[in-house]
Amino acid sequence: MTPPPGYRRKGETFVCRLHKSLYGLKQASQQWYSKFSASLCNYGFKHSEADHSLFHLGMGTDYVFVLLYVDDIVITGSNDELISSVKDMLHQQFHIKDLGPLKYFLGIEVARSSHGLSLCQQKYVLEILEDSGLSGARPSDTPMEQNLKLTDTGGSLLSNMSSYRRLVGRLIYLTVTRPNIAYTVNTLSQFMHQPHQPHLDAVHRLLQYLKATVGQGLYYSVTSSLELRAYCDFDWARCPMTRRSTIGYCIFIGNCPISWKTKKQHTISQLSAKEEYQAMAVTTCEITWLSYLFQDIGFSIPKPVLLFCDNQAALHIAANPVFHERTKHIEIDCHLVREKIHKSLIHPSKIPTASQVADLFTKSLWAVISTAS
C-alpha cells in the first residue's frame, strides 16, 4: 500500500510501521480474529473444536455462548448477569454497539416467544423480488415445473450472465432457512458457467414460488427433545447430461431440522445401493460433526442416532461384514458407516418411501407430493 496524499514529500522514500492492522489488508481479518479470540480466552472462554467461530463459557450450572461472524456477534446464555459481565468486558476492550435482544442477524429475522424461536428471511426475499422486478408477478404453488429437465444446451445463451449468477447466489443464501428450495437452487447453480434462457425462466418460477411463501421459515419449539434423527436418500442417475446421481440428507433435533444438504455426485454409479450407501456415509459424517459440537457446548445427545433410509440393500450391506464382488468398490464407505455403528453413534433403520423426508432434497417438490400422496 502507499501513504495517503500529502504524507510523503516528492522524492522521499521511506516505510511506515503499523501499530495495528488496517482494515482492508489481507491479514486484517486474521488479526481481528486472533485479538478477539485471545480476549475471550483470557476471560475464560473456550473454543469449540467443531466450530472455531463459537466460544463457550461455563460457570457451574450457568453458561454463555458467543458466536462470531467477522465483526457481528451473537451472545446468549442461561444467566443474564453473566451475559452482562461478558458485554462489559467486550466494551472495555472493543468499540461495540449493543443492539439489544436478537431480532435480525445477517439477513435472518428472529422472533421469540415463550413457546419457541422462529427464523425466516422475509425481508431478504422481498428485496430479491424487488431487485428482479417480479414483485407483481403471479405466485406459484411449486418452485419448479413438473418433469422439468434442464440441460446446458437448450435455449438461447443469456447476454447478461452476471445477473443470473448474482440472483442464484442470493438464492443459495436463502436456503439457510428454506430447505424446501434446496434441491431447486442446487439444480439452478449447476448452470452458472453458461446460463441459457430456460435456466432464467426456472429462476423466475422459483421467485414466483417465493412470493407465494414469503414468510415461511424454521420454527424451534422449547418443548423439543434433544434426540437426533437423520434421513438420507438418493435419486439414481438424476442428471440428464452426465447421468450422475443426487444425494441428500436432513437431520432433526426433536421435530426441528438443523442440518440438510443436496449434492450431485462427482462420479457415475452403476449400482443404486452404492449411491444410497454413499448418502449414508455423508450423513454419518454430519452426525459425527454434530455430536462433537454438542459435546463441546456441554450437551449430551441420546445415542445411537437413528439413521433412516428406504433402500433395503444398503441396510443389508451395513449389517453384513462380508464384502462381495459387487460391493468391493464401496469398502471405504462401508468401513466408515460400520465403525460408527459399532461405536453406537448411529443405528440405520428402514423407513417407507412415502415417509422419507429426505426426498425433498433429491427430487422436485412435484415428485415429493406425488410420492406422498
Side-chain angles (χ1 to χ4, degrees):
M1 60 179 295
T2 58
Y7 188 78
R8 180 178 59 183
R9 295 179 182 179
K10 186 177 181 180
E12 288 184 340
T13 301
F14 58 90
V15 296
C16 300
R17 180 179 179 181
L18 293 177
H19 294 285
K20 63 179 181 179
S21 182
L22 296 180
Y23 182 83
L25 297 182
K26 292 182 178 180
Q27 68 272 25
S29 58
Q30 177 62 32
Q31 293 296 325
W32 154 248
Y33 175 79
S34 299
K35 181 174 178 58
F36 185 85
S37 60
S39 300
L40 289 180
C41 292
N42 291 335
Y43 191 76
F45 280 86
K46 294 182 180 180
H47 277 288
S48 170
E49 295 298 330
D51 187 351
H52 275 243
S53 62
L54 177 64
F55 303 83
H56 54 93
L57 171 65
M59 291 187 176
T61 59
D62 298 324
Y63 51 86
V64 175
F65 302 103
V66 175
L67 182 65
L68 175 68
Y69 182 84
V70 190
D71 57 353
D72 295 315
I73 306 169
V74 175
I75 304 176
T76 186
S78 61
N79 188 297
D80 292 336
E81 294 183 358
L82 188 57
I83 294 176
S84 298
S85 64
V86 173
K87 290 182 179 179
D88 294 337
M89 181 272 295
L90 293 176
H91 272 294
Q92 294 175 2
Q93 302 195 32
F94 306 99
H95 297 287
I96 66 173
K97 183 177 180 180
D98 189 355
L99 301 179
L102 182 63
K103 296 180 179 179
Y104 193 79
F105 184 71
L106 302 177
I108 302 175
E109 301 172 46
V110 182
R112 294 184 297 176
S113 69
S114 58
H115 301 288
L117 178 76
S118 66
L119 306 176
C120 73
Q121 293 172 276
Q122 179 175 347
K123 182 175 181 294
Y124 185 74
V125 173
L126 294 175
E127 290 177 354
I128 295 177
L129 292 173
E130 183 178 357
D131 293 344
S132 59
L134 294 178
S135 298
R138 181 180 178 181
S140 175
D141 294 333
T142 56
M144 182 179 286
E145 294 182 8
Q146 188 176 11
N147 301 323
L148 178 63
K149 298 290 185 180
L150 294 174
T151 63
D152 55 3
T153 56
S156 59
L157 192 65
L158 295 180
S159 57
N160 187 5
M161 299 184 184
S162 59
S163 61
Y164 176 89
R165 294 164 182 164
R166 180 175 181 271
L167 186 55
V168 174
R170 299 179 72 179
L171 291 173
I172 291 175
Y173 184 65
L174 185 58
T175 58
V176 172
T177 60
R178 297 293 297 271
N180 55 337
I181 66 171
Y183 172 79
T184 304
V185 174
N186 175 268
T187 302
L188 296 173
S189 64
Q190 297 174 23
F191 306 99
M192 302 275 269
H193 58 294
Q194 276 191 334
H196 291 69
Q197 187 60 42
H199 308 144
L200 183 61
D201 294 339
V203 172
H204 290 166
R205 172 62 179 257
L206 175 56
L207 293 178
Q208 291 175 306
Y209 172 74
L210 293 176
K211 183 182 178 182
T213 59
V214 65
Q216 286 189 0
L218 301 174
Y219 178 73
Y220 299 94
S221 174
V222 295
T223 59
S224 177
S225 66
L226 293 179
E227 181 181 4
L228 288 183
R229 301 191 329 272
Y231 301 82
C232 66
D233 195 21
F234 81 106
D235 198 5
W236 190 38
R238 160 61 61 174
C239 181
M241 299 170 294
T242 62
R243 308 306 295 174
R244 296 177 183 175
S245 304
T246 300
I247 65 172
Y249 66 78
C250 185
I251 302 176
F252 289 76
I253 179 168
N255 295 321
C256 309
I258 58 174
S259 180
W260 53 86
K261 188 174 186 178
T262 297
K263 182 180 180 181
K264 186 171 77 170
Q265 291 295 79
H266 297 293
T267 59
I268 302 173
S269 175
Q270 295 179 328
L271 187 64
S272 61
K274 173 186 176 183
E275 295 298 340
E276 184 74 36
Y277 212 92
Q278 287 183 341
M280 292 177 62
V282 173
T283 311
T284 300
C285 291
E286 185 70 8
I287 294 173
T288 303
W289 177 79
L290 287 173
S291 66
Y292 292 152
L293 180 63
F294 275 83
Q295 183 179 353
D296 281 346
I297 62 179
F299 290 99
S300 59
I301 58 175
K303 297 178 181 179
V305 177
L306 292 178
L307 175 57
F308 295 101
C309 74
D310 56 7
N311 188 286
Q312 195 69 47
L315 294 174
H316 287 321
I317 295 174
N320 186 4
V322 179
F323 293 103
H324 301 284
E325 180 180 357
R326 299 186 65 188
T327 60
K328 290 181 179 178
H329 56 292
I330 58 175
E331 181 179 356
I332 296 179
D333 288 335
C334 288
H335 281 304
L336 171 65
V337 175
R338 288 173 184 169
E339 178 185 357
K340 300 305 179 181
I341 294 175
H342 292 159
K343 291 183 177 180
S344 299
L345 176 64
I346 64 171
H347 178 69
S349 301
K350 182 72 169 64
I351 189 172
T353 301
S355 303
Q356 178 57 274
V357 179
D359 267 350
L360 184 65
F361 304 94
T362 59
K363 304 176 182 67
S364 65
L365 191 56
W366 271 110
V368 175
I369 295 174
S370 301
T371 303
S373 59

